[in-house]
Amino acid sequence: MRDGGRSNDVRSGTARSDDARPSAARSDDARPGGRRSWWLREALAAEPPALRADAAPPFAGSGRADIAILGGGYTGLWAALRLIELAPGARIVVLERDVCGGGASGRNGGFVTGWWDELPTLVARHGVDEGVRLARAIGDAVGEVGDWAASVGVDPWYRHAGFAQASAAPAQDGAWREAVELCDRLGLRDEYRPLTADEVRERVVSPVFRSGVFMRDGATVQPALLARGLRRVALERGVVIHERTSARPIRTNRHGGPVAIRTRSAAGDGTFVADQVVVALNAWAAAWPEFGRRLVTWSSYIVLTEPIPDRLAELGWTDGEGITDARFTLHYGRTTPDGRIALGGGGGRAGFGGRIGRVFTHDAGSAARAGAGLRRWFPTLADVRIEDAWGGPIDITADHLPFVTTTGRGRVHAGLGFSGNGVGPALVVGRALAALAALGDGAGEDRWGSLPIVGAVPRMFPPEPFRYLGARAIREAIVRRELAEEAGLRPGRVVAAVSRVPRRLGYHLGPD
Ligand SMILES: Cc1cc2nc3c(=O)[nH]c(=O)nc-3n(C[C@H](O)[C@H](O)[C@H](O)COP(=O)(O)OP(=O)(O)OC[C@H]3O[C@@H](n4cnc5c(N)ncnc54)[C@H](O)[C@@H]3O)c2cc1C
């Protein structure tokens, strides 16, 4: 089921068997779906009773808020924390259809990375000064996540070790060249610098890795511990959170008055009236009429191995650095403190009409592709058991970057479109949303509210069913092309041509 109801992986009610600590591994544990991500199961199991469901009860009836935030992931929760600073005394309410962190924020790979690889796009869109200012703000967010966590006693396993990207096939060589050269020209060489094959090998030994690139603005976190830590601090600071409460698409008040948000939960239907609304719904916003055409939804899956600390030592992968290959259907791998590998990507599936259904949670094929990526990177780990697998939705925009926009006669502010890279950027987007909601026209004076990401609404995608059919055909072509390239084969002419369609149509998506 989709918005307004309950999804297939999220059953409402307070007692959930999968909220308990992960059980011992079973051979079928690697099938995705049916339970939450390993990250979120760990995080929920570690929470003291006082912070569990009763701290954020479902909502029914009628309520009033100064600022209502829809969505309790990183974006919504960073916005809430910033609003406390910008609007002291305001009644801030978060409405979350599942539990905070139940969306992508509790399921992702935990890469907190900067945007120096995006610099050519940022400079083309916003000019050198503003493009660099935006990249700097996102880069700073990597450190700010860690500083914030340390300052409030949240331990999300934060490790600021940088982030490396490696070519895993000749076709991927130099995928970063344009960004590296631009950083060089602008005196930003240290932000994003090439690595020789030997330097890649010093980080982790893989027979398929070639040369690479290194971004020092890079950290890893246990993503759900971060999301639940944000929730804890928000609650402690007076934010009211209603979990397992779904908001219905907003109808803007024609007279410009406060916004009425209809809600649904197991406790009953409700209406919340708020002066300002922050929409932080990630891929779920694709089902909302005002945002749907700006987003394509896509699934991403992660597999998690059993603990193998000795084998990681053999690979030389011991310093907590995250690493990706350079496919468009990226593989991303990182380690955990107990010596597991979490590796995701390899090509998920497109969603239809903004529905976030089973394809985002139960797709064994997409999880298998992530698993195949792991085996290809590390053939010596063929005997290592994959203990868990899960998936989630990402919200892709035409330029592969998030946007912040205001609608609803100045009362509704949305931050969407992270395109699979939102762990660090959500801090920036959340704070920009808070500036818009609290300061209105004064947001332009705020460090985050003045960033050029505000108002940079991406172009639209075609309507359904063309959006879905196009995304599906192009995804298939891109996956086939990249698999062929990895196997040292030339992709077929039709496959190569279809994979280039988004670029030909002016979208900043897919390979050239
Ligand atoms: C498998 C996977 C791996 C990823 N890996 C990385 C990575 O390593 N690094 C990186 O930077 N990014 C990664 N991402 C992307 C990143 O997780 C997201 O960009 C980020 O979490 C977005 O945060 P958010 O708060 O906007 O969205 P979410 O965390 O998804 O929050 C949106 C919330 O809205 C709630 N919601 C939906 N509909 C309603 C409604 N009607 N009413 C109320 N609430 C509603 C949802 O339940 C959800 O909790 C990954 C994503 C996935 C799925």
Side-chain angles (χ1 to χ4, degrees):
M1 244 187 286
R2 60 181 178 133
D3 172 65
R6 295 166 298 176
S7 79
N8 294 296
D9 65 326
V10 178
R11 294 167 287 273
S12 72
T14 50
R16 290 177 51 108
S17 60
D18 60 357
D19 286 355
R21 182 164 289 283
S23 57
R26 298 188 312 265
S27 58
D28 62 350
D29 276 352
R31 287 190 71 79
R35 59 185 189 157
R36 298 187 183 281
S37 74
W38 186 82
W39 306 128
L40 188 52
R41 299 194 324 266
E42 283 276 319
L44 291 173
E47 270 176 8
L51 279 177
R52 293 200 184 144
D54 289 351
F59 176 77
S62 57
R64 186 75 172 87
D66 296 308
I67 303 159
I69 298 171
L70 312 185
Y74 302 139
T75 308
L77 294 170
W78 282 121
L81 292 178
R82 179 72 178 147
L83 278 165
I84 294 166
E85 295 167 2
L86 293 179
R91 185 173 161 78
I92 301 162
V93 175
V94 175
L95 303 174
E96 163 56 54
R97 63 181 277 284
D98 182 13
V99 296
C100 292
S105 298
R107 309 187 206 177
N108 63 72
F111 282 67
V112 197
T113 50
W115 271 4
W116 299 107
D117 53 339
E118 299 284 0
L119 197 60
T121 311
L122 301 182
V123 166
R125 296 269 188 291
H126 308 298
V128 170
D129 290 351
E130 285 297 273
V132 171
R133 188 165 77 95
L134 184 49
R136 180 76 64 202
I138 301 286
D140 288 349
V142 176
E144 281 163 336
V145 168
D147 293 346
W148 173 83
S151 72
V152 293
V154 166
D155 177 12
W157 305 355
Y158 180 84
R159 281 188 84 171
H160 197 158
F163 149 63
Q165 186 170 33
S167 164
Q172 297 171 25
D173 288 351
W176 43 83
R177 195 169 296 127
E178 192 189 351
V180 166
E181 285 173 3
L182 182 59
C183 285
D184 232 6
R185 273 209 304 283
L186 297 177
L188 299 163
R189 176 176 303 188
D190 289 344
E191 304 298 352
Y192 198 51
R193 64 177 176 83
L195 299 173
T196 62
D198 282 343
E199 287 172 318
V200 170
R201 210 168 300 117
E202 280 163 19
R203 296 174 147 75
V204 54
V205 176
S206 160
V208 297
F209 286 169
R210 302 158 63 86
S211 57
V213 66
F214 179 75
M215 198 188 293
R216 64 180 177 182
D217 284 336
T220 53
V221 290
Q222 203 280 35
L225 284 174
L226 176 61
R228 298 299 290 182
L230 286 162
R231 171 190 184 268
R232 169 177 65 79
V233 175
L235 285 169
E236 285 169 1
R237 298 193 179 166
V239 174
V240 174
I241 302 180
H242 293 294
E243 292 182 326
R244 304 179 202 272
T245 302
S246 184
R248 317 281 292 275
I250 298 168
R251 276 198 222 111
T252 308
N253 184 333
R254 269 186 294 137
H255 308 294
V259 182
I261 305 153
R262 287 177 304 136
T263 65
R264 179 168 289 175
S265 76
D269 290 351
T271 303
F272 232 99
V273 175
D275 295 322
Q276 297 283 317
V277 180
V278 168
V279 177
L281 296 175
N282 188 20
W284 284 268
W288 288 37
E290 58 272 62
F291 309 115
R293 292 279 304 278
R294 313 273 173 199
L295 302 170
V296 164
T297 56
W298 207 272
S299 67
S300 188
Y301 279 76
I302 293 180
V303 292
L304 182 82
T305 68
E306 62 184 316
I308 45 164
D310 297 345
R311 311 290 289 277
L312 290 183
E314 284 165 24
L315 298 172
W317 199 10
T318 50
D319 68 355
E321 193 172 294
I323 192 156
T324 73
D325 60 21
R327 291 166 51 137
F328 176 75
T329 54
L330 195 77
H331 288 111
Y332 45 93
R334 46 81 55 92
T335 56
T336 62
D338 65 346
R340 299 168 189 267
I341 297 174
L343 189 140
R349 287 186 202 280
F352 180 81
R355 267 172 233 151
I356 308 299
R358 287 176 71 87
V359 79
F360 294 91
T361 48
H362 287 64
D363 179 4
S366 291
R369 265 191 298 279
L374 173 76
R375 307 296 186 198
R376 180 172 182 269
W377 277 17
F378 304 120
T380 56
L381 302 185
D383 58 316
V384 168
R385 214 153 24 104
I386 291 176
E387 277 193 354
D388 216 327
W390 61 89
I394 58 181
D395 52 348
I396 296 181
T397 62
D399 58 8
H400 219 249
L401 294 171
F403 62 97
V404 175
T405 186
T406 294
T407 64
R409 295 177 176 259
R411 290 183 183 271
V412 179
H413 315 279
L416 303 166
F418 291 98
S419 302
N421 178 359
V423 180
L427 176 147
V428 172
V429 167
R431 289 180 177 173
L433 290 166
L436 292 170
L439 307 176
D441 291 342
E445 305 297 315
D446 178 80
R447 177 178 160 205
W448 292 280
S450 63
L451 287 169
I453 202 172
V454 176
V457 179
R459 63 183 282 203
M460 288 204 249
F461 290 106
E464 296 293 15
F466 305 106
R467 183 172 42 152
Y468 168 74
L469 293 173
R472 190 177 149 167
I474 290 163
R475 166 213 166 264
E476 196 60 38
I478 294 173
V479 170
R480 280 201 206 182
R481 173 178 161 172
E482 294 189 318
L483 284 174
E485 288 169 348
E486 284 181 347
L489 304 169
R490 267 170 77 97
R493 283 227 308 273
V494 175
V495 163
V498 175
S499 73
R500 288 194 198 100
V501 165
R503 296 270 170 185
R504 297 282 181 274
L505 294 177
Y507 295 102
H508 188 66
L509 296 171
D512 285 319

